[in-house]
Amino acid sequence: MRNRLFVFILLIGLLAACEGDDPPPPTRLPFEPAVIYSGGFRAAGAAQDEGQIALIITPTRGIAVVCGVGDGTWRALSGWFRGSVAGGTLTTKPASATFTADSAEGILLGADGTRYLFQAIKRADTAQIAAGVQEGVYRADAITISGRDAPANLYVIVTDAERATLCGILVDEQGTPLSRVALVGIWQSGFSTFMFPDLPDAAGTPLAVFGIGTFAQIDGILME
C-alpha cells in the first residue's frame, strides 16, 4: 500500500512539473494612446443631425469614424478615415477638425460636396477606458454575415452606455459601407443584438445578428 501511495505522489509531482507556468499573455503591438471625441454632424441650416462622427486623436495621427443615418446619404457619408495631426488640427480626406483637451469642431465633406458641420466632446482617453468608461468607439472584426463569403467589420459609436441607441456602420474588408446598424435592446459590449436595415434576408426582413462577442474598445492607434 505504501509503495502505491509513493508512486501516486510521484506521478502527481511529475505532472505538476510538466505543466509549468501559464503562457504569458500576448504582447500588444506598439500603439499611440488616443483621446476619443464624438458628436453629431449636420448641414448648415439643417434641423437635425445626419449622423455621428467620432475622432480618435493621438499626438501625430487621427481617425475619423463617420456614421451616417440618412436614407439617401448614409453610404456617401459613412466610413473610417485616417489622417494626420499637427498643431491641434486633424486632417483627413473628407474631414478636418480643430480640438482642445475637452472638445473638437470641424467640417465634413460629403461625396457630393455638401459641407457638414460638427461639434464633438471628449468621451474618453486610454486611462479612462482602462478604468471602465464605456463611452467611445468599439470595433468587432471578422463578422460573419449570411450570404457573404468575406467577413465584415462592425464599428459603433457609443455616446451613452445607458441608452438603447447608438450609431454604427458595417463595412467590408475594403472599408466600403454595407449597412447602418441598429441596436436591439440595451448596449452590452459582448452580448448585444444588432439589426442591419440595409441587408435584408430573402423574406425582406432586415438581417439581425446576436452575440457577436466582445468588442474591442478603441483606446489608441497602432504605430505604422
Side-chain angles (χ1 to χ4, degrees), residues 119-213:
Q119 292 184 324
I121 61 173
K122 177 184 173 182
R123 299 294 176 181
D125 57 25
T126 303
Q128 290 173 305
I129 290 173
V133 172
Q134 295 189 55
E135 287 77 16
V137 182
Y138 289 77
R139 175 184 66 226
D141 296 332
I143 305 301
T144 301
I145 302 297
S146 177
R148 296 193 76 253
D149 295 332
N153 299 325
L154 176 59
Y155 300 97
V156 294
I157 302 171
V158 178
T159 57
D160 186 344
E162 300 301 320
R163 295 176 58 192
T165 57
L166 55 73
C167 203
I169 53 171
L170 184 74
V171 301
D172 66 14
E173 56 277 14
Q174 282 78 42
T176 303
L178 298 172
S179 179
R180 291 162 292 183
V181 177
L183 174 64
V184 181
I186 300 297
W187 164 251
Q188 298 179 44
S189 59
F191 305 98
S192 296
T193 299
F194 299 96
M195 183 173 66
F196 304 124
D198 307 295
L199 291 177
D201 59 20
T205 303
L207 181 66
V209 174
F210 171 74
I212 287 176

